[in-house]
Amino acid sequence: MLDKKYPAEPYRVKSVEYVKMLDRAEREKAIITAGYNTFQLNSEDVYIDLLTDSGTNAMSDRQWAGIMVGDEAYAGSRNWHNLESTVKEVFGFKYVIPTHQGRGAENLLSKLSIKPGQYTPGNMYFTTTRYHQEANGGIFKDIVIDEAHDTTAINPFKGNIDLKKLEALIKEVGADKIAYVCLAVTVNLAGGQPVSMENMRAVRELTKKHKIKVFYDATRYAENAYFIKEREKGYENKTIKEIVLEMFSYADGCTMSGKKDSLTNIGGFLCMNDEDLYLRSKELVVVFEGMPSYGGLAGRDMEAMAIGIRESLDFEYIKHRVLQVRYLGDVLKEAGVPIMEPIGGHAVFLDARRFCPHLTQEQLPAQALAAKIYLESGVRSMERGIVSAGRCVNTGKNHAPKLELVRLTIPRRVYTYAHMDLVARAVIDIYKNAKKIKGLKFVYEPKMLRFFNARFEEI
C-alpha cells in the first residue's frame, strides 16, 4: 500500500490508449533494428514510454474543449491573444513571440543575441540550447555549482549558478564578451535539479552590475516553483503562481518549450522586456516559424497551451506530479539502485557509472543500460551522458561529462503508481545482474545532436 506521503492522482481517467507488451525475442529484434538507440524504437513496440516528458503529456478536458474553439486565422487569432495575455500575466514579461517548440525560441534568441566569440555561461548545458549557441559562434561555459556533477551530493538547490564561477568569467573575458547568462529552471541534465529564489536574485544583482542580460530556460518553471515552496524558507505559504512571477522578475526574458510544464503536445515561445529585441524577433520569426501571431502553431494548439499554463499552477496537480517521480526514485533507492540525488521533478536518473562499473565511459554505459532496460522490460528510457554530450566543435574530441545517466522521464498525467512499480521492479532486477550488460560502440555517428539518430552495436 502506498505511503500517505505520495498523493493519489488528482484527476479521473476519461479516455484510454491500449498498449501491448512484445515478448523478449520481439524486443531483442526491435532494439537491434533500432541500432541500440531507444530514440529509433517504434512507439507501438514500447510498453511504458519514459523516453521524454516533452510533448507526451495527457491534456485535460478543458484543453480538449479549447482545441474545438481554435481560430485558424493566419494573423491575429483570438487564441493568440489569449496565449499572449496568459504568458504576460503568469511570467510578467512585456513581449511574447510564439514558436513551434522550445528550440525555435532558442534559435531566435541565439541568432539575435550572440556575436561570434561571445560566451553563453549557464547552469549546465542542454543539448539543443548549446547547439544553437555554438552554431551562432557562442562559447558555452558551465557555471553550475560543483555538486550538480556529483550524483551522491545532497543539496536542495543543486541547479544553482556558482556566483564565483560567473564572476571569474566576467573578470577573465570582460562583460562585453558575454552575450547573456542562460539560467535553466530546472536543470535537466543534472537530474531535474531546481534553482533557489535566493540564487536567481543574486545572479540578477551581479549581472545588473555588469549590464549583462539573463535569459531563463523556463521549460519546467512549475516544478522549480514547487521545490522553492517545499524547500526555501519564506515561500512555504506562497502560491505557485506568486513564486513563478517572482522567479521571472529576475530575468530579461526566457525561452520556453510548452511541451513540458505547459501541458501540451506542441508549442513554445520566446519572451523579453527589450523592445528592440522584440522587434527584431518579430522579423526573424516570420522566416523560421511563421507570423508573429502564430509562430508555427495552429490556433487550437495556442489555446491548449494557454489553458495548460494556468492548470500547471494548481498546487494539487504539481504536488502529485513531483511526488509521483519521487515515489519511483524512493523505491529504487531503497533497493540500492544508484540514482541521482536529490530526486528531481520530471525524471529519475540512474547513475550508469555506478550501475555498470565494469564499463568505461568510452564503452557508453548509459546508452548500453538504456538499451538493456528496454530489452528486459519493454520500458523505454534515454541516455544522458557522453553520447548526448557530443563532440567539441573545435577539437572534434568527445565531451566527457562527469555525469553518465539514464533518464526515466515521467510524462505528465499519463501513468499511475502501478506503472512506477513495474518500472522499479525491472530496473532492480537488471541491477542485480548488471555485470552482464555489454558496452556499445558507434556504427553511425551524426555530426549534430548525435544522440537522436546514432546507431550502435555491442562490443
Side-chain angles (χ1 to χ4, degrees), residues 136-298:
N136 286 280
I139 303 169
F140 171 75
K141 182 74 172 179
D142 189 359
I143 55 170
V144 76
I145 59 174
D146 290 340
E147 293 96 318
H149 295 283
D150 181 353
T151 59
T152 63
I154 303 300
N155 184 320
F157 293 102
K158 214 167 175 178
N160 281 356
I161 281 178
D162 187 321
L163 295 173
K164 291 182 179 179
K165 291 181 182 178
L166 178 55
E167 284 183 302
L169 180 65
I170 296 171
K171 185 177 181 180
E172 177 188 351
V173 304
D176 62 330
K177 289 283 286 182
I178 297 177
Y180 57 86
V181 173
C182 183
L183 191 154
V185 287
T186 56
V187 183
N188 187 351
L189 294 186
Q193 303 299 324
V195 181
S196 71
M197 194 75 80
E198 179 184 26
N199 188 249
M200 294 182 216
R201 193 179 302 115
V203 170
R204 173 76 290 177
E205 291 173 359
L206 176 59
T207 53
K208 187 176 182 179
K209 183 170 67 174
H210 293 280
K211 298 181 180 180
I212 299 170
K213 291 189 175 181
V214 180
F215 282 86
Y216 288 8
D217 177 342
T219 297
R220 297 178 178 88
Y221 61 89
E223 292 169 16
N224 201 98
Y226 177 84
F227 284 120
I228 288 174
K229 182 177 177 67
E230 181 186 57
R231 299 174 181 177
E232 193 161 359
K233 186 177 180 181
Y235 290 91
E236 57 273 8
N237 295 319
K238 297 278 189 179
T239 66
I240 298 298
K241 184 177 181 180
E242 289 171 332
I243 294 171
V244 169
L245 190 61
E246 183 178 347
M247 282 167 50
F248 290 98
S249 71
Y250 303 123
D252 294 288
C254 73
T255 58
M256 176 67 193
S257 171
K259 298 169 67 177
K260 283 85 167 177
D261 270 2
S262 295
L263 296 167
T264 51
N265 305 126
I266 198 68
F269 50 82
L270 171 65
C271 292
M272 70 285 288
N273 288 325
D274 182 84
E275 185 178 17
D276 178 66
L277 178 60
Y278 169 62
L279 293 175
R280 290 188 294 133
S281 298
K282 282 182 71 176
E283 295 175 6
L284 199 60
V285 74
V286 177
V287 178
F288 290 101
E289 305 282 328
M291 282 287 290
S293 58
Y294 77 87
L297 294 170

Side-chain angles (χ1 to χ4, degrees), residues 330-350:
D330 284 346
V331 173
L332 293 174
K333 190 167 65 170
E334 288 171 9
V337 176
I339 64 172
M340 167 65 85
E341 297 184 66
I343 298 159
H346 71 291
V348 176
F349 288 70
L350 307 177

Side-chain angles (χ1 to χ4, degrees), residues 359-365 386 391 398-400 404 439-442 459:
L359 299 179
T360 67
Q361 191 171 32
E362 291 295 326
Q363 292 173 318
L364 317 180
I386 192 170
R391 295 182 181 274
N398 280 320
H399 290 295
E404 191 70 28
L440 299 176
K441 63 181 180 180
F442 282 97
I459 297 172

Side-chain angles (χ1 to χ4, degrees), residues 60 69 87 100 108 114 116 173 192 252 292 299 323 369 409 429 434 439 457:
S60 70
V69 295
V87 173
H100 76 285
L108 295 177
I114 299 173
V173 304
D252 294 288
L323 295 188
L369 177 54
T409 332
D429 287 344
E457 64 180 24

